[in-house]
Amino acid sequence: MKRNFKKDFTLLALLLIPIGVAINFVGFQVAQILRLPIFLDTIGTILVGVIAGPLVAIVAAFITNSITAIFNPIYFPYVITSMAIGLGAGLLSKFGMFRTIYKAIISGLIITAIAVVASAPITVLFFGGATGNTSSAITATFLAMGQNIWSAVFTSTIITEIADKVISVLFVYFIVKSISDRYLSKMKYGHMYMKKSNRNR
Amino acid sequence: MKNSLVNLYPLTKFYFALFIAATVIIVPNYVFAFAWFPVLILIAVVAGVVKSFLSFILKTLFILLVIVFLMQLFFYPGDEVLASWWIFEVSREGLNYGLTLTSRILAIGSAFILFFRIVEVKDFVKSLEDVGMPSTGAYVVMSTLQIIPEMRRQSNTIMEAQKTRGVETEGSFVNRAKAFFPTLTPLILSSIASTEERAITLEARAFSAPGKKTSLHQLTKRPIDRVLPWVYIIIVIGLIIWRVF
């Protein structure tokens, strides 16, 4: 385990972490500027998971949420969610689930499921079901219709997450396709996405 | 007074925020949890950051607290109805739970907001390094903080450049969604390419070389910084014992 840990954190993987974290922030910012209805704030975490593996992605996710906490500590509990997303993306990549566009869409759905399972309990237990974003309104609607808190939060989280995560994963899929082979060859799972090796498959 | 507070070791302040979080979770009383808030305001006054502290709370916590409170008030299942209006029923249990939840969020949230008002991130990272975080980790965190604003600026530049080439960033939803890709792709690819150069630069400065690294930036620990964490721990253990018996 200890040796594995060392092996994953090469210098280039370490330097990818700040980039991944910054992509999370910039993606969110651009989505806000373009007034898109989804967050797109986990693109960096997923990208790091896909090319550098789950461990590096978990660290990137942790740093992302820690920096968000400087500006608003309230949402720090969701660090669990983003770490789970990083872990999921890394493991999916390990099993070649980002190699074709269809597999990438399936990966997007799996990551959606991970995000929902890891964030709905936090929303219910820490915030009683509402955090003041778009999904709170949906949650309130379900509650008014007489659902209990758990199913209301689960349903509203699925609705808000599914588009966000599938689009993020597809975006990462296209980005990885356009990264140079020279760089990919130095990354943990990079060899799977190199154009040369795809030709010989 | 002000100086002795601000000059506390960063971890001492951090443990204080954790201590507040622990006490409000152990003691199930919202009056107690709300009582922390004036204490924190007092600390902010002494440290001379009260203005930014309060405006920050108004900007971030306030709306969340209102929403959380109203959600519990109207939707928390309870038997003892205090008031009803149209399809909504306000129960005593809902009122209690709403107050408990908001008091905890306020206490914990404002404790950490205050922490980041009176501690420089640089000092906090250094203190984490002192208690055993690897120095590469400290480098990654600090460089992340530098890279984020830089990449934000770059994304604005790229967006402007793409606008001049005719990429639409206004108008219909489909148009706006289409602008996302050409803005972020060049940014991501160029930043990834720049990491290779950065790796060479760091290696030229013996970044991966084995051996103890020294630091220009030093923090001082005073006797009070050794005593206070133990005080927190003893109080928390005392509270737990008081809860159990």
Side-chain angles (χ1 to χ4, degrees):
Chain A
M1 182 67 214
K2 178 86 183 150
R3 236 186 70 240
N4 246 341
F5 202 79
K6 271 268 185 292
K7 221 168 53 187
D8 271 11
F9 287 86
T10 58
L11 182 59
L12 269 182
L14 276 176
L15 293 176
L16 184 66
I17 293 173
I19 304 290
V21 175
I23 293 169
N24 286 340
F25 280 92
V26 175
F28 180 71
Q29 184 199 339
V30 173
Q32 294 281 311
I33 291 174
L34 296 172
R35 288 174 301 151
L36 302 179
I38 45 180
F39 295 119
L40 299 171
D41 58 351
T42 49
I43 293 175
T45 307
I46 296 170
L47 176 69
V48 173
V50 170
I51 56 179
L55 293 176
V56 186
I58 287 173
V59 174
F62 183 79
I63 293 178
T64 301
N65 283 55
S66 308
I67 290 176
T68 315
I70 297 174
F71 302 105
N72 196 346
I74 279 305
Y75 298 118
F76 188 72
Y78 289 101
V79 70
I80 306 284
T81 311
S82 56
M83 281 159 82
I85 290 169
L87 175 71
L91 292 176
L92 284 165
S93 177
K94 185 179 179 174
F95 295 112
M97 287 296 287
F98 284 89
R99 283 187 124 163
T100 66
I101 194 152
Y102 302 108
K103 282 182 176 172
I105 291 171
I106 294 168
S107 294
L109 295 172
I110 295 172
I111 288 177
T112 306
I114 293 172
V116 171
V117 169
S119 72
I122 297 171
T123 308
V124 174
L125 299 173
F126 284 79
F127 302 105
T131 54
N133 55 21
T134 32
S135 66
S136 300
I138 307 174
T139 307
T141 315
F142 284 128
L143 285 171
M145 279 156 55
Q147 286 195 8
N148 81 11
I149 184 83
W150 286 96
S151 67
V153 171
F154 261 94
T155 331
S156 72
T157 317
I158 289 171
I159 292 171
T160 45
E161 289 284 339
I162 195 157
D164 185 44
K165 295 298 175 283
V166 172
I167 290 170
S168 298
V169 165
L170 282 176
F171 187 72
V172 169
Y173 170 79
F174 287 115
I175 289 278
V176 172
K177 269 186 108 67
S178 33
I179 296 176
S180 68
D181 277 7
R182 196 186 57 154
Y183 182 83
L184 284 174
S185 66
K186 299 170 192 159
M187 280 289 152
K188 186 177 166 78
Y189 298 142
H191 58 90
M192 286 201 267
Y193 306 103
M194 282 158 66
K195 291 98 201 155
K196 283 220 170 67
S197 66
N198 286 354
R199 245 179 261 148
N200 310 339
R201 247 198 310 168
Chain B
M1 183 74 188
K2 176 185 169 176
N3 281 346
S4 64
L5 183 82
V6 174
N7 289 343
L8 282 175
Y9 194 64
L11 279 180
T12 311
K13 300 170 188 168
F14 186 67
Y15 293 149
F16 181 66
L18 287 179
F19 164 71
I20 290 179
T23 57
V24 297
I25 289 166
I26 296 166
V27 181
N29 179 333
Y30 57 80
V31 178
F32 170 81
F34 277 125
W36 269 119
F37 191 57
V39 174
L40 288 166
I41 293 179
L42 199 70
I43 295 173
V45 171
V46 174
V49 292
V50 71
K51 222 170 151 179
S52 72
F53 173 64
L54 286 177
S55 76
F56 217 85
I57 298 241
L58 269 178
K59 268 195 302 224
T60 55
L61 274 182
F62 187 70
I63 301 159
L64 175 78
L65 290 175
V66 171
I67 289 171
V68 169
F69 183 70
L70 290 177
M71 285 282 279
Q72 304 318 312
L73 200 61
F74 291 133
F75 298 116
Y76 195 79
D79 309 319
E80 198 184 330
V81 177
L82 297 174
S84 66
W85 170 72
W86 186 39
I87 52 167
F88 300 112
E89 280 189 348
V90 175
S91 66
R92 180 167 296 282
E93 290 90 340
L95 181 69
N96 279 341
Y97 191 65
L99 285 170
T100 307
L101 211 53
T102 45
S103 66
R104 282 181 185 175
I105 293 175
L106 178 67
I108 298 172
S110 51
F112 282 99
I113 287 175
L114 181 64
F115 169 77
F116 283 114
R117 297 275 94 46
I118 54 178
V119 175
E120 293 268 335
V121 178
K122 185 173 70 171
D123 296 342
F124 182 48
V125 173
K126 181 74 184 83
S127 67
L128 287 176
E129 210 181 330
D130 290 346
V131 289
M133 184 170 83
S135 55
T136 46
Y139 168 78
V140 166
V141 173
M142 293 318 293
S143 69
T144 304
L145 287 170
Q146 273 178 348
I147 283 176
I148 290 170
E150 204 177 299
M151 273 176 75
R152 280 197 166 148
R153 272 196 300 278
Q154 273 181 331
S155 78
N156 287 331
T157 313
I158 292 171
M159 218 180 215
E160 297 294 321
Q162 296 287 28
K163 270 188 205 168
T164 52
R165 293 177 59 241
V167 172
E168 304 242 4
T169 57
E170 307 281 324
S172 77
F173 169 69
V174 177
N175 272 348
R176 284 182 275 128
K178 272 201 223 147
F180 189 80
F181 203 86
T183 304
L184 239 73
T185 313
L187 176 71
I188 294 175
L189 293 176
S190 64
S191 343
I192 285 179
S194 74
T195 60
E196 290 179 285
E197 288 169 29
R198 195 170 303 209
I200 296 167
T201 313
L202 285 172
E203 280 312 320
R205 286 164 177 69
F207 184 78
S208 309
K212 185 103 182 68
K213 303 280 193 296
T214 53
S215 170
L216 270 176
H217 184 62
Q218 291 291 357
L219 295 168
T220 46
K221 242 184 166 175
R222 290 174 306 172
I224 190 160
D225 294 309
R226 295 183 209 292
V227 175
L228 274 177
W230 287 107
V231 175
Y232 306 148
I233 291 170
I234 289 164
I235 295 176
V236 167
I237 291 172
L239 282 173
I240 293 173
I241 293 170
W242 172 78
R243 257 309 293 279
V244 173
F245 296 105

